Amino acid sequence: MIRATCSLSNSTCPILNMRQKHKYLIYNILKKWPRYCSSTYMHSKTLAGRQEPHGSSANNFQCIHQIIGNMIKNHLKIARRNLLKNKSFSAINIIGLAIGMSAVLLIALWIQNQYRYDNFYPNQEYIYKLMNKTDKEGSVHVHDITMPAAGPALTAQFPEVEHAARMLWSEDRLFSYGDKNLKAKGNEVDPDFLDIFQLPILQGDPHTLLNDPSSIVLTESLAKSLFAEENPLHKTVILKNEVPYTVTGVIKDLSSYTVFNFKYLIPIGPRRAKKLTTWNNNSLVTFVALKPNTDADAFNQKIKPLVKQHDPHLRWSSIFLHPMSKAHLYSEFENGIATGGKIEQVRLVGGIGLLILLIACINFVNLSTARSQKRSREVGVRKVIGASKKTLVSQFLFESLLLAAIAGVSAIVLTAFFLPMFNRFLDKPLEVNWSNPMIWITGFAFILITGVLAGIYPAFVLSAYQPLKTIRGTSNKPRRLFRLREGLVVVQFAIAVILIVATLVIRMQVQFAGQRDVGYQASQLMEIPAEGGLDKNYEALKDELIYNR
């Protein structure tokens, strides 16, 4: 039997002055220490190659695997005990992290959907929007309204162009079918429009949908509104009480995250097409699909003099292609180069999300370091019995990761709960594909990074305590710990104040814009579109309204 000896008196010996349970714990460990050291020494000799019994590599691997498994099991057991022992502390930490992570998840979903704008077409890397650039007297302007003749000229003159299609402005038209009358917004387009974007077609021949001037393609929701359970193909609808169109196809409803908002498509009529052959006016939008392996930058240089070649008077005008996948986020140009747009708002919101996560992590660090003195005795005892700083750091990091994992699961539940309200606030539903494995991989990485960021500093602080001072009960906290905690509190409250003030200012601005005096009573005004036969009977309608006012 090995007895623990101490040269100090009973009143000054740090071991003898410990609690009874700690005294027995150290005594029992010291009693078993020679046997442990002997087995460890023999095992280290085997690993070092001094003893090589048959099958030693497999045994060593099995031993290492067992050691790692036992270590993780021990960490999990200690972490679970600490969570249950300090229920209030654990609850505060988990709730704080969960709320912060939930806010970040909602913001991340919004940012992800912003990047998905027009970024989901099968051949998206080849789809471009034709841009119009004017460089006159050093003033450069870029916009997406182009000349009517540009699209057909690109198709006719450049073999790199696979498809080009023009789109006229959206128009709200009256639909009539039997006794049903409803209004829907749509566009006139060239037939190649559907070949460029390859929208999912539910019914109809993809190759002939818009070939006939009197054909019309409906979205699924508009087809159900008009025809209910009937088959819409080859049915005739009347637009604006005048023009009959035959339904030749039905496409799937558009995603919420696209610049398009049409419910129907009709081909550009022959009469209007004859007028759309000029270069000296800008009246529509043009989309281009290049053939695979075409260098877009080289092609832009190639088409730069096209406008001047067809109309020498427009020597200051040129056209170029802008990727459709960037049209939403990068819509602002400076000197002909895309410099910003919606992406600036995305970056701002992303920065706010990072600040919220930073506040949650700082709160975790402050709470962990504030109660560090309560765990100092535990650290001292574990160091006395041989625990290394590396082991202690891994234990405290494991506890942080466990708290972050619980908070992450809670954050996912909170996100799913608040997502419908968030969608109503945005008026544009966020699309989440929970079956996508990248969603879960990203979520796991997010939880892991959050746990490490929140727990790395408390882990090193707690593991740095000196066992002798801890067991004696003297102060073990460095002054820099107090300074850092005070600094973190200041940073935390400063960020919170900035976010609150910014929110209040924006709210006041929105209220002012909605309640300011505009010079008339908007509630007493009514707009009646002049469509159908209304323009011919305007005076009669006017007299009737004045008479009955």
Side-chain angles (χ1 to χ4, degrees), residues 461-478:
V461 169
L462 290 171
S463 62
Y465 283 150
Q466 299 176 15
L468 192 59
K469 289 184 177 181
T470 301
I471 295 174
R472 281 177 173 174
T474 57
S475 176
N476 218 341
K477 290 186 178 181

Side-chain angles (χ1 to χ4, degrees), residues 58 62 88 102 134 153 157 184 209 216 221 253 261 266 276 283 388 399 438 442 447 456 501:
Q62 184 178 3
S88 58
S102 178
T134 58
Q157 296 182 224
L209 287 179
I216 185 171
S221 58
D253 287 340
N261 61 348
I266 58 177
L276 299 178
S283 56
S388 65
E399 293 181 13
M438 284 304 299
T442 304
I447 292 174
I456 188 72
V501 170

